[in-house]
Amino acid sequence: MELRSVEELMDLLYACRGAWDTPDRSGDPVDLHDHALQTAALLRRSRPADKELQVAGLVHDIGHLLRPGDDAGHADHAADAVRALLGRRVARLVHLHVPAKRYLATSSPDRDLSAQSALTLRAQGGPMSPAEAAAFEGDPLAEDAVTLRQADDAAKVVGLDAGVLEDWRTVLGIVAARNSHTPNSRLGAVD
């Protein structure tokens, strides 16, 4: 699925209300809607000028809704869905949130993960090898991907008020408009 408008993306994000990262709700304690809002809000606080990073936080897990049960591929499904609308950087950050988890499992092995994240880490390839970690560190978006991942890991608080989805419509519109004016932004090149 390739999203073509902010309205389509908003509809998908609204559909995340009551949808979970696991089909049987045995995973993280908040639904995809609350998780998206919490992740984006944490990124807005830590990186207020980086709208693309914030938006990546908002949309990073929509792959769970697009292909339920595909923990290993959910980041790629989400990245593919948003690339044409939100641009290569947002799509790349969404894609990298899983490698960033694997990287952090290697570089910070004592870091706490939710039970579900620890379980899916195995399905996603486990901690990186030293060679994989070195390659990840060489990616120009590695630092931003780690920031996204840290927000992702922290954004699982039941009952936390992180605002409402409608607050993000304008930001999504700004990022989409920037992307529509970027040469070759709609080519959907593989990252």
Side-chain angles (χ1 to χ4, degrees), residues 51-90:
K51 302 299 184 211
E52 290 179 341
L53 180 61
Q54 296 164 26
V55 164
L58 186 67
V59 303
H60 76 280
D61 270 351
I62 62 171
H64 286 299
L65 190 65
L66 297 171
R67 299 259 176 92
D70 187 0
D71 289 323
H74 81 279
D76 291 332
H77 300 307
D80 290 344
V82 302
R83 184 177 290 108
L85 179 63
L86 301 175
R88 290 183 56 145
R89 180 169 181 255
V90 171

Side-chain angles (χ1 to χ4, degrees), residues 135-168:
F136 178 82
E137 290 168 349
D139 190 302
L141 291 179
E143 184 180 324
D144 292 340
V146 167
T147 299
L148 169 56
R149 183 73 228 178
Q150 290 166 331
D152 179 5
D153 290 338
K156 299 173 184 183
V157 180
V158 175
L160 179 71
D161 181 2
V164 296
L165 187 55
E166 205 55 43
D167 292 342
W168 289 94

Side-chain angles (χ1 to χ4, degrees), residues 92-167:
R92 184 84 176 127
L93 288 168
V94 168
H95 164 77
L96 285 172
H97 88 273
V98 169
K101 177 167 81 171
R102 295 183 60 226
Y103 172 77
L104 286 168
T106 298
S107 65
S108 304
D110 296 332
R111 189 174 76 83
D112 283 335
L113 286 175
S114 71
Q116 182 63 19
S117 285
L119 180 67
T120 59
L121 176 63
R122 287 191 288 275
Q124 295 163 340
M128 286 183 169
S129 69
E132 289 173 315
F136 178 82
E137 290 168 349
D139 190 302
L141 291 179
E143 184 180 324
D144 292 340
V146 167
T147 299
L148 169 56
R149 183 73 228 178
Q150 290 166 331
D152 179 5
D153 290 338
K156 299 173 184 183
V157 180
V158 175
L160 179 71
D161 181 2
V164 296
L165 187 55
E166 205 55 43
D167 292 342

